[in-house]
Structures are given as C-alpha cells and as structure tokens.
C-alpha cells in the first residue's frame, strides 16, 4: 500500500544553544514524507515557491518520494525561523512568513486519490479537510496537529477529527484540546471527539497509544545528544504512517508496531539538523536501533 | 534477606484541587517501609514525638514492619503541609516543622546492623551517612534524595553517594545535581560520582535505570486518577529495595525487575491519600497489575 502525505514544505533557519543553520529544508510534510519512505511508497502534496532549491527536491526523489503533487506557485516558499533554549523542550518561533502558503489550496493529483493511507501532517485543519474531500475511500486516515490550530481554528479541527481514524498530538496539546490535565483521560476524551485511535507524543518521554478499549505506553529511545529536535513529531507520524502502509491491515497491533517505527525514525532525525540524518539513514540502521530499543526497554 | 529503611516519619496535611486531609501518616520512611513490606521483612529506623498516634504505629506492624528502631523522643512529631496545583506535577510546601527531627541522630539497633539491603530514604544526607557508619557490611545500599539537599547540603550528599551502590532521584534533581539537561547524560555523570546504579524517576513518565554500561527505560503505569501523588517516589524506592531483599543476588537484571515492582507499588499508592491504598493492598493485586502493565507496554 502507499501513503499520501500532505503538509507544509518550508525553508527553516534553526538556532540552538550550540549551533545555528540557515536555509534548511523543513516543514511537516518534508519530515513526514521522508520518514514514511523507509517503509512504503510515498506521494507528497504541498506547495513551494519558485525559489525552492533543486537540492531539496532531489532529497525527496532520492528517497523515492513522488513529488508530482508538489505544486510550484509564483512567490516565495514558506519560511520558519526558530530558536531552542538550552532545555530543548522550550522553543520559540522567531519569525514565520507564509508566502505561497497564504493562498494554498491543496490539489490531490488523480493518481494519488486512491492512496490507502493518508497522513495529514501538521497544517491548518481546513486544508487537511480539503485533502480528505478529494480522496477516494482511503483505508486509514491519520491527522497530526499543533497548539496553534487548537487555539485559532478549533472548530475546523473538531470538524476534521470526526473524519479521521487517528489523531496525533503532543501531551500539552492534548491538555489544551480537552481541558483535562491527566494525559490518559485526555486521550479517552479525544477518542470521544471522533478518532478511534489517538497517539499522544511526549517527546523525550515516549508516547501513549489509545485504541478502542486499548492502551499502549512506550518510552522514547534514550539519546545522549539531541543537536536539533525539529521535526521529531513529524517523523514519528511519518514513520508510523509508512509502516501502516507496509502492512496488509491496520489494527491496534499494527499501530503498536507502527509507533515503535515512528519512535525509532524520530530518534535518528534529531541527531542532526534538518533532514541530514534521514538523508543517509538506512533500513538496516533502523532495524538495528529497533533491536537495541527492545533490549533497553524489555525485562 | 531483609531491608533496613531509614528516613523521615511525619504527620502530613495535604491539599489538592479536590480534597484536603489533615493529620495523615507521612514521611519518606513510612511510604518506603510499607512499600518494601510487600516483598521482604523490613526494619524501620526513624524518630517520632510522644504525640505519634498508635493507629499509625499499628499500620506499620500490620504490614510486618519491625519498629523497634522507631525512636520516641520528647516533643512533637515532624510535620509537613503541602498543596498540589491542578497540574499535580506542581506542589508547594505550605509549612514544615522539624520538631523531634531537629536533633535526631539515627541509632541502628544491634539486631538491624546486619540487614542485607539498606534503603536510605529521603532525609538529610548527613543522617544517611550516620546510618551507614553503623552498618556491618550491607550487601546493597540504596539512597534516595531530593532537591533540598542538593541545594543546601551538596557536600554531604556528594560524600554520601560515594558510599552507596545506587542513587535514586527525579529528573529535575538529576539536572540540578549535575548541571546537565540531558537526562541520559545526567545519569552517566551521577554514576561517575560514585554509585554503580542510578534510577532517575520521571513521575508520570516512568523511569530510567543506569547500570555499568547498561540502561533500562520504562513508562509509568498509566493512571486515569491520581488523588494524591505524595509518597510515590518513596514507594518506588521502597518497592525496589524490598524486591532486591527478596532476591538472592542484586545485579542489573534484579534491578530491572525491581524498578517494575517499585513502579507498580507507587501506582497503587497515588490512588488514595497517605498510605490508605497500601493499607489494603495485597500481593495478588500487585501481581495482577504487574501483568496488566506488561500487556500495556509490550508489543
């Protein structure tokens, strides 16, 4: 099966306490699509400006990501600039320029409309819905979101999540969406809003997966160095979606295995800025860290 | 094997967003000793005033805890009063009265001096050292500590941890002690300060266990209700120490099993105020939650 990834494609400037890098490939769809590509064929829908560098485009294609759905619009590519504190859990956005994203209306190419798995990576929920409108009976729809949309587009988000099989968000976002401080209860509350499955990401603390009367809790892969956490959540979602597309059926057991894959790909991604680590990542490296993870987390 | 538990014994007033209770049995040694009692014989060393209620004393003995080492001094028992915010990760101390603790010098009864496992539950590190001075070749010494001692008694703490096999502390304390923000690196730094084993508690996010070139990461037991988190860390340490005492040898594999037991006992403890839940807790309940935990955390 194949996965359709829609989301933002951008150019990032990222500053940490130790390093600063400019003009990096970024955006939720970039991370998610490349992460998914380790497991299944990927079709990408997004928008860039006519300034988008060929090198970035080549990174997608080198990973087998189909970018016929990557629209080129007149104007500049979406740009984001952010800075991490020494405690990398704290990030501030220094600037955002929507640019071509301002008027973006996602168009799903005819060849993508039968994609089995749809990953609506983090963008405005109205755009995520617009993609769903064009799909022909996808088997499994996953949406990722963020605090911004919960704050400024709650109605759109609530409408969207009624239509998805799975919602992915982080723990503070789950609390924001539900008003509930207990993460387990928040997960159950979100299930009542529509999605049968919910994954609550807790960054360095791992994640909780909720299914119908089912729960699965895992720690993150323990890392001693995290040069740049940007895109970890997107890679988690992408790895998860890609693994689902690799399987014949998507049920709770599939999703348990899928969150492990998402966890592992995300753990590699944060070892370098932008998508540098995923660029060289191999299937056998994923497999070997998966085995190491099992040893570190199993009695 | 038996475990010697030394630490504070107190009377607590605890307020949460939903409930408020007064004159509760509290103190690190109370929680730790009762938690350990589910796995092995426990000897308790601590101090109370002549106001200490018989009902509290009976709780220890009903759990088989030997309280011949519980000194009764002239004056009032140590008292603590605290309040939790709606987000229970945030607690403020409303008042502390050291009372008989002010001049306490722990005396280990002759019958306790050969205890195999020593758990130095959370008290001033100078007092923890004083207990160690009186022991006769314990097999395995575990110390718990807190931010207060890192801030006001760092030299004492550093001297103590050179002498222990294992240090237990929470993630913010590990950062405070080492000045390192990455939890995994902080654990390794603490090992360099002396203890071969380190457990870093992360509350609702589980814990990390460090051994010589070894690491083990587990999530917490997912709970939907936490009426009172007081004593969770003490119960974790107590359950861990009690399990070690139940085993013939203490190595990394034993400690992996031990942190699971500590996690499970702590998860029960937070389901009610003070030690109310542990009062009625049975070995078969521990076993059944252990099995449920395995299902919730294993592929």
């Amino acid at each position: 099966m194949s996965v359709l990834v829609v989301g933002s494609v951008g150019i990032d400037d990222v500053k940490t306490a130790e390093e600063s890098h400019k003009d990096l490939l970024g955006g939720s769809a970039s991370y998610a699509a490349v992460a998914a590509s380790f497991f299944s064929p990927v079709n990408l829908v997004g928008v860039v400006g006519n300034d988008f560098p060929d090198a970035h485009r080549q990174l997608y294609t080198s990973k087998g990501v189909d970018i016929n759905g990557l629209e080129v619009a007149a104007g500049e590519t979406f740009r984001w600039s952010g800075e991490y504190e020494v405690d990398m859990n704290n990030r501030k956005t220094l600037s955002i320029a929507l640019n071509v994203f301002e008027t973006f209306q996602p168009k799903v190419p005819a060849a993508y409309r039968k994609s089995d798995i749809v990953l609506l990576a983090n963008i405005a929920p109205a755009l995520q819905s617009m993609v769903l409108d064009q799909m022909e009976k996808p088997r499994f729809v996953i949406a990722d979101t963020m605090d911004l949309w919960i704050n400024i587009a709650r109605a759109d988000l609530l409408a969207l999540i009624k239509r998805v099989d799975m919602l992915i968000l982080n723990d503070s976002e789950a609390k924001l969406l539900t008003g509930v401080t207990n993460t387990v209860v928040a997960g159950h509350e979100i299930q009542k809003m529509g999605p049968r499955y919910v994954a609550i990401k807790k960054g360095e603390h791992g994640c909780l997966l909720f299914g119908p009367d089912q729960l699965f809790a895992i720690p993150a892969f323990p890392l001693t160095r995290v040069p740049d956490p940007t895109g970890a959540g997107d890679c988690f979602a992408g790895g998860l979606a890609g693994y689902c597309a690799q399987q014949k059926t998507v049920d709770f057991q599939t999703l348990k295995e899928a969150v492990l894959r998402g966890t592992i790909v995300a753990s590699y991604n944060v070892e370098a800025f932008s998508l540098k680590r995923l660029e060289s990542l191999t299937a056998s490296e994923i497999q070997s860290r998966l085995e190491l993870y099992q040893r570190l987390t199993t009695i």
Side-chain angles (χ1 to χ4, degrees), chain A:
Chain A
M1 303 200 288
S2 67
V3 52
L4 170 69
V5 175
V6 59
S8 63
V9 174
I11 298 176
D12 292 351
D13 295 341
V14 178
K15 198 169 162 5
T16 66
E18 297 189 353
E19 287 180 75
S20 178
H21 293 271
K22 286 185 179 300
D23 297 329
L24 302 169
L25 177 58
S28 62
S30 299
Y31 286 105
V34 173
S37 75
F38 293 100
F39 304 98
S40 70
V42 179
N43 302 320
L44 177 65
V45 165
V47 65
V48 295
N50 37 32
D51 61 344
F52 193 67
D54 268 350
H56 291 348
R57 208 173 257 110
Q58 279 156 22
L59 172 59
Y60 298 132
T61 52
S62 76
K63 292 293 177 183
V65 174
D66 184 315
I67 55 170
N68 287 317
L70 184 63
E71 186 185 328
V72 182
E76 285 179 34
T77 303
F78 169 64
R79 294 198 72 116
W80 175 80
S81 163
E83 179 172 359
Y84 291 89
E85 294 180 14
V86 174
D87 177 351
M88 294 228 175
N89 294 306
N90 302 321
R91 174 173 90 176
K92 67 169 178 260
T93 291
L94 299 175
S95 69
I96 283 190
L98 288 177
N99 298 333
V100 295
F101 234 96
E102 206 146 357
T103 54
F104 177 52
Q105 300 227 326
K107 285 171 281 295
V108 180
Y112 292 1
R113 287 188 199 141
K114 290 187 197 299
S115 300
D116 304 287
I117 308 291
V118 178
L119 172 56
L120 306 168
N122 179 30
I123 43 167
L127 299 183
Q128 293 174 312
S129 284
M130 221 176 272
V131 169
L132 270 196
D133 293 340
Q134 301 169 57
M135 296 305 296
E136 294 169 13
K137 294 196 182 165
R139 284 205 196 192
F140 199 78
V141 178
I142 304 164
D144 196 354
T145 193
M146 76 185 291
D147 49 358
L148 177 68
W149 313 122
I150 299 171
N151 283 321
I152 71 167
R154 179 179 283 261
D156 287 351
L157 181 62
L158 292 176
L160 170 77
I161 67 177
K162 284 195 191 359
R163 305 173 62 193
V164 307
D165 298 289
M166 179 172 199
L167 183 67
I168 299 177
L169 72 181
N170 74 30
D171 48 354
S172 65
E173 291 159 356
K175 289 173 192 182
L176 184 65
L177 180 59
T178 60
V180 168
T181 54
N182 180 296
T183 314
V184 183
V185 177
H188 295 150
E189 290 299 314
I190 296 170
Q191 287 182 297
K192 291 183 199 157
M193 297 174 179
R196 260 178 312 150
Y197 301 99
V198 175
I200 298 185
K201 300 171 288 184
K202 305 195 296 175
E204 62 172 315
H205 302 305
C207 81
L208 289 174
L209 171 68
F210 300 81
D213 297 316
Q214 287 154 310
L215 184 54
F216 181 53
I218 58 166
F221 182 81
L223 288 168
T224 55
R225 272 187 75 247
V226 178
D228 176 15
T230 308
D234 305 313
C235 288
F236 173 83
L240 185 162
Y243 181 81
C244 287
Q246 198 187 59
Q247 306 307 305
K248 284 205 177 71
T249 56
V250 181
D251 55 17
F252 195 69
Q253 187 60 34
T254 315
L255 290 171
K256 284 165 74 171
E257 296 276 3
V259 295
L260 274 193
R261 269 66 179 185
T263 293
I264 297 303
V265 177
S267 78
Y268 275 116
N269 180 66
V270 300
E271 290 183 348
F273 278 68
S274 182
L275 290 126
K276 297 281 179 233
R277 185 64 186 89
L278 296 199
E279 209 171 330
S280 66
L281 185 65
T282 64
S284 75
E285 284 178 317
I286 292 175
Q287 187 55 34
S288 87
R289 183 166 289 185
L290 206 49
E291 285 162 18
L292 176 57
Y293 178 88
Q294 298 283 22
R295 284 200 299 279
L296 294 178
T297 59
T298 311
I299 278 286

